[in-house]
């Protein structure tokens, strides 16, 4: 099982380490054509607008085909890229998750924080860094994790996203759930 981590920008290395610790073979994806050789993809945090610039039009189209066909897990900026609707400001999304998402939604004062939320019914540490908020959850989307009243991790079919950074906590549950998704193909 080969897992790609999009390595254009952002904190891709923490994802690489976590996935390797869980026994996955990891490929850092720097060129769109490398997507043809992997079974699943992680899109890390970073700055979603910068990702769009670095991908360019052809890279965006190639990535769009991938995320509509194969398991993908986006965290923070990665979650923004996977969404159908993005605001603050508006920008293009890959439309793999039927959600609306608002960038930098916690404002400057609580720009970054570590909070406790729930993954299913179990408590889990969540690291938020200039995080977005999921403002709309479509009917086909399952909420996997919440923080207070807010959905913070979701799944639709083969695609998962979290608005926080599970790769920065000492807890492998979300990555393990993603690897299960890749292994089971759904
Ligand atoms: N604020 C970033 C964006 O809007 C996301 C931050 C992150 O990935 N940690 O793209």
């Amino acid at each position: 099982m080969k897992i790609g981590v999009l390595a254009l920008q952002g904190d891709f290395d923490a994802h690489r380490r976590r996935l390797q610790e869980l026994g996955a073979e990891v490929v850092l994806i720097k060129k769109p054509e490398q997507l043809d050789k992997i079974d699943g993809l992680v899109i890390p945090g970073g700055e979603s607008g910068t990702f769009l610039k670095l991908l360019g039009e052809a890279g965006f189209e190639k990535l769009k085909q991938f995320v509509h066909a194969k398991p993908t897990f986006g965290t923070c900026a990665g979650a923004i890229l996977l969404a159908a609707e993005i605001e603050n400001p508006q920008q293009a999304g890959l439309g793999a998750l039927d959600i609306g998402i608002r960038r930098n939604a916690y404002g400057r004062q609580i720009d970054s924080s570590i909070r406790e939320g729930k993954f299913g019914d179990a408590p889990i540490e969540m690291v938020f860094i200039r995080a977005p908020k999921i403002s709309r959850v479509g009917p086909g989307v399952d909420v996997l994790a919440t923080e207070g009243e807010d959905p913070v991790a979701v799944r639709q079919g083969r695609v998962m996203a979290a608005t926080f950074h599970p790769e920065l906590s000492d807890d492998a549950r979300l990555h393990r759930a993603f690897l299960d998704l890749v292994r089971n193909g759904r």
Side-chain angles (χ1 to χ4, degrees):
M1 197 162 68
K2 261 195 200 163
I3 308 294
V5 179
L6 193 65
L8 296 177
Q9 193 245 353
D11 74 331
F12 52 85
D13 213 52
H15 281 287
R16 177 185 63 75
R17 262 180 276 131
R18 174 61 47 82
L19 292 162
Q20 284 176 340
E21 279 160 21
L22 293 173
E25 189 186 334
V26 181
V27 190
L28 294 180
I29 305 292
K30 302 202 183 247
K31 295 255 183 306
E33 54 273 20
Q34 290 175 280
L35 293 170
D36 295 334
K37 303 202 177 81
I38 55 171
D39 305 302
L41 177 70
V42 172
I43 307 181
E47 206 55 47
S48 54
T50 307
F51 274 111
L52 291 177
K53 276 190 206 126
L54 294 173
L55 281 165
E57 227 171 277
F60 183 81
E61 282 312 313
K62 179 91 187 164
L63 184 60
K64 194 169 183 174
Q65 280 169 18
F66 184 92
V67 302
H68 284 270
K70 293 263 180 81
T72 304
F73 179 26
T75 57
C76 204
I80 296 169
L81 285 175
L82 288 168
E85 296 139 26
I86 296 121
E87 52 176 330
N88 191 38
Q90 271 191 358
Q91 65 186 25
L94 296 163
L97 285 170
D98 182 19
I99 58 171
I101 199 162
R102 182 174 175 79
R103 294 178 64 192
N104 302 307
Y106 295 88
R108 279 216 201 127
Q109 271 154 1
I110 41 164
D111 172 276
S112 301
S113 61
I114 300 178
R115 299 200 281 277
E116 190 180 286
K118 288 210 160 135
F119 179 49
D121 287 329
I124 188 168
E125 177 186 278
M126 297 173 170
V127 179
F128 292 92
I129 304 171
R130 295 188 306 283
K133 260 194 199 186
I134 297 172
S135 49
R136 184 185 68 79
V137 175
V141 179
D142 293 328
V143 174
L144 303 178
T146 50
E147 194 272 320
E149 297 291 302
D150 298 329
V152 292
V154 293
R155 172 185 160 183
Q156 183 174 17
R158 302 182 206 88
V159 180
M160 274 174 63
T163 60
F164 57 100
H165 287 263
E167 76 285 5
L168 299 181
S169 290
D170 238 5
D171 185 322
R173 274 177 287 171
L174 269 111
H175 287 83
R176 201 171 282 132
F178 178 61
L179 291 179
D180 286 345
L181 191 66
V182 178
R183 212 169 283 124
N184 302 332
R186 47 164 284 135

